[in-house]
Amino acid sequence: MSVEEALEKYGPSEITREDIVEMDDPGFAPENVALVTGAASGIGRATALCLAGNGLTVAGVDVDGDGLESVADRAAELDLPGRIEPVPGDLTDDADVERVVEEAADLGQLRYLANVAGLQHISSIDEFPMEQYDRMHAVMQRAPLLLTKRCWPHFEDGGRGHVGNMCSVHGHVVTHDKVAYNTVKFGLRGLTQSIAAEGDGDVRAFSVSTGYVKTELVAKQLPDSADSRGLTVDETVEQVMLGHTRVKEMMEPYEVGNLFVMGFSEHSKHLDGGDLTYEGGMSLTYE
């Protein structure tokens, strides 16, 4: 199966208004801002659209400026009650992180932070390139901490703040050849609980842990992953990705975006330091 064929079969569908769960929450209003990282593609893109679909002004952060313009255009096409404002930035640059937070705060009252940006590298521990580990740690663990630190004064100014961290089933159980990804995802759960502890109810935090999601990144990796295992792409999905789950289908990005909507809403006020685990039973099934 070619990369194009894998994208067609296992890539994400385009998000529609009907895909977005709309929740009744007085905080979901255009004067309130949600900063979403990784907003140019994948789960970050879906999360930005779902939050804009609930009336928020979204500061979409990514290194991909063209991708940010595309998601902002999609929000306009869907005539969402909120809007997405592109804020290009590099999460590995501390000065850029400070700048994107201030630009987000200029859009309204900064109340929500969704740390979604991520990347992957597959390699055994004895061959894992440390420069790649450092980059993954910088984007997926250090940046969420720094963003939270920079957002904190704005949360306090508004009287309340919410931080959602994109974790993974790999923050609960690990697989081979993903040492950096496994490590940072476990670390994100610790960061989430630390934010909740210090937030003392005024700054609330949660994490979201899913199994495999139908993103372009995942779909494009499937042919190489299948070849390395001597399997077809379909066999790789069925045996490797879904072999230990009870739900035999991958999630759509918008389904993950809707989890951030729920987690940010007042209906989840008792979700503070906890993890929304939606992985089809992967970490709960013993064979």
Side-chain angles (χ1 to χ4, degrees):
M1 184 181 292
S2 68
V3 171
E4 291 73 20
E5 290 170 331
L7 272 170
E8 178 68 24
K9 186 169 185 178
Y10 295 109
S13 61
E14 184 56 276
I15 297 175
T16 67
R17 283 289 295 265
E18 289 71 28
D19 295 325
I20 298 173
V21 173
E22 297 184 34
M23 306 199 75
D24 183 18
D25 187 310
F28 290 171
E31 62 268 22
N32 291 327
V33 177
L35 191 161
V36 180
T37 68
S41 63
I43 294 171
R45 179 180 188 273
T47 300
L49 287 168
C50 288
L51 293 172
N54 276 268
L56 288 166
T57 295
V58 176
V61 176
D62 206 293
V63 292
D64 179 5
D66 291 341
L68 290 177
E69 293 293 342
S70 175
V71 69
D73 290 344
R74 182 59 180 168
E77 290 171 5
L78 293 176
D79 194 25
L80 299 180
R83 72 185 195 276
I84 298 174
E85 293 289 341
V87 184
D90 182 354
L91 297 182
T92 67
D93 184 317
D94 286 7
D96 246 16
V97 169
E98 185 167 0
R99 175 185 56 79
V100 299
V101 170
E102 292 310 310
E103 287 190 22
D106 286 342
L107 299 172
Q109 178 60 56
L110 181 54
R111 290 187 59 177
Y112 306 93
L113 169 62
N115 290 305
V116 184
L119 58 154
Q120 180 62 280
H121 184 86
I122 309 297
S123 184
S124 61
I125 290 176
D126 61 328
E127 296 182 353
F128 205 95
M130 292 310 297
E131 65 273 13
Q132 189 65 18
Y133 174 88
D134 291 340
R135 181 166 176 253
M136 294 173 70
H137 180 275
V139 171
M140 293 195 289
Q141 192 165 37
R142 188 178 188 279
L145 170 57
L146 183 55
L147 283 161
T148 301
K149 177 180 178 178
R150 295 304 185 197
C151 287
W152 203 284
H154 299 287
F155 293 158
E156 291 182 332
D157 285 345
R160 189 164 297 278
H162 309 74
V163 180
N165 293 318
M166 187 64 215
C167 193
S168 168
V169 65
H170 292 109
H172 296 263
V173 296
V174 305
T175 55
H176 287 268
D177 301 332
K178 295 181 180 178
V179 62
Y181 195 83
N182 296 334
T183 301
V184 298
K185 292 304 186 183
F186 267 84
L188 269 178
R189 292 179 61 203
L191 173 61
T192 301
Q193 293 175 36
S194 296
I195 296 167
E198 296 192 28
D200 198 26
D202 294 324
V203 177
R204 187 167 60 82
F206 63 94
S207 55
V208 174
S209 291
T210 66
Y212 290 97
V213 181
K214 296 174 68 174
T215 64
E216 288 188 12
L217 178 63
V218 169
K220 287 178 178 178
Q221 292 175 340
L222 280 172
D224 284 344
S225 180
D227 288 344
S228 71
R229 292 179 168 86
L231 301 172
T232 67
V233 167
D234 290 338
E235 288 170 341
T236 299
V237 172
E238 293 165 6
Q239 297 176 26
V240 179
M241 300 169 74
L242 300 178
H244 295 284
T245 67
R246 295 171 182 165
V247 180
K248 300 301 181 181
E249 62 183 59
M250 296 166 66
M251 292 182 73
E252 287 278 359
Y254 69 79
E255 295 180 282
V256 188
N258 285 329
L259 295 178
F260 279 91
V261 171
M262 181 173 71
F264 283 147
S265 78
E266 65 176 3
H267 304 287
S268 295
K269 62 185 177 182
H270 293 287
L271 176 65
D272 198 7
D275 180 73
L276 290 172
T277 308
Y278 280 68
E279 33 74 297
M282 187 185 301
S283 64
L284 305 173
T285 301
Y286 178 81
E287 293 183 354

